[in-house]
Structures are given as C-alpha cells and as structure tokens.
Amino acid sequence: GEGESRQSHAHRKVLSDVYEAILGAIYLDGGLNEAKRFVVSTLGSRINEILRSKTSVNYKGDLQELCQAKRLGGVSYNTINSSGPDNAPTFTVEVLVGKKNYASGVGHSVKEAQMNAAKSALEILRKSGQ
C-alpha cells in the first residue's frame, strides 16, 4: 500500500516475507519439485552468484569471530541515540571491542544499526591489519 511504500527500511523484509509465503504455498500445493522449479526460475542466476560470493552479510558474527581469533576482547553494542517518529525511528549504535569504541552505525532498527556498526568496525580492523 501507499503507507508501506514510504517505509524503505521495511521494503526488503516485506518482499522477502511475500516470496517465502509464495514459495511455501507452491511447496504445499505442488511439492518439492514445483518449489524448486519456482526458485530456479525466479532466482536462478542469482543463486549461483550468491554461492560464488565470499561476501558475508553477518557482520556481527564475523566481527565476533575476528575479535575472538585475534584476542581483541569482547564485542558489545550500545544504543547511543534514537530519533524520528514512532513509525520510522532511526537508531545510532556504537560497537566496542574490549573497552575501545571502534565504530558506530545507523539504522531503522537497533539490529540494523548494530549490523552497520559491526560492518564499519570490521573494515577498520581489516585495514589496520588486525
């Protein structure tokens, strides 16, 4: 709807949920082969691209693993600001490794802001050779 189209932060999640619902309905109605055929026809080339890609989208997990492997200390997140209307808030989160503030991130949810902060911290740590 019109209201949803103004909520850019939720757009990908809504599309993902719709796709999952359609796939589930196809599986229930037609079985595994029909569901597989649907996935291949709609995501075919993208599946191979994702599988070939070494890019992670779990920045928080990657940061945690890097910090453990390099013995840099524990990872923690602090929400330092929230602003905006209730229906479209913006959060700012800082990520600390040990007691050192490495980066901050902004997002329309605390989780998104944490992920963005972790991504920035990973970039900083990797550039510094740690």
Side-chain angles (χ1 to χ4, degrees):
E2 186 178 322
E4 186 62 38
S5 67
R6 286 186 251 149
Q7 303 296 323
S8 62
H9 66 279
H11 185 69
R12 287 178 47 180
K13 175 70 172 133
V14 170
L15 289 176
S16 173
D17 289 348
V18 168
Y19 187 89
E20 184 179 344
I22 292 169
L23 180 59
I26 291 170
Y27 172 76
L28 291 173
D29 187 54
L32 182 60
N33 287 334
E34 285 301 314
K36 182 178 177 181
R37 194 176 354 260
F38 173 75
V39 169
V40 170
S41 71
T42 57
L43 298 177
S45 62
R46 182 83 174 112
I47 293 170
N48 290 331
E49 181 183 321
I50 292 167
L51 292 174
R52 283 192 306 267
S53 172
K54 299 286 185 194
T55 305
S56 173
V57 293
N58 183 7
Y59 300 113
K60 288 177 65 177
D62 291 350
L63 179 61
Q64 185 73 36
E65 288 177 16
L66 177 68
C67 291
Q68 287 175 348
K70 302 284 186 174
R71 299 176 200 259
L72 299 175
V75 177
S76 60
Y77 299 88
N78 294 323
T79 302
I80 56 176
N81 189 31
S82 66
S83 61
D86 289 343
N87 65 337
T90 300
F91 298 91
T92 304
V93 170
E94 66 181 0
V95 59
L96 293 90
V97 177
K99 294 184 180 184
K100 182 178 177 186
N101 180 346
Y102 266 85
S104 62
V106 176
H108 291 290
S109 68
V110 172
K111 184 177 178 180
E112 180 184 9
Q114 289 175 344
M115 196 66 79
N116 289 332
K119 179 180 180 184
S120 295
L122 275 169
E123 291 170 0
I124 291 166
L125 288 167
R126 289 175 177 156
K127 284 181 184 174
S128 71
Q130 291 193 13

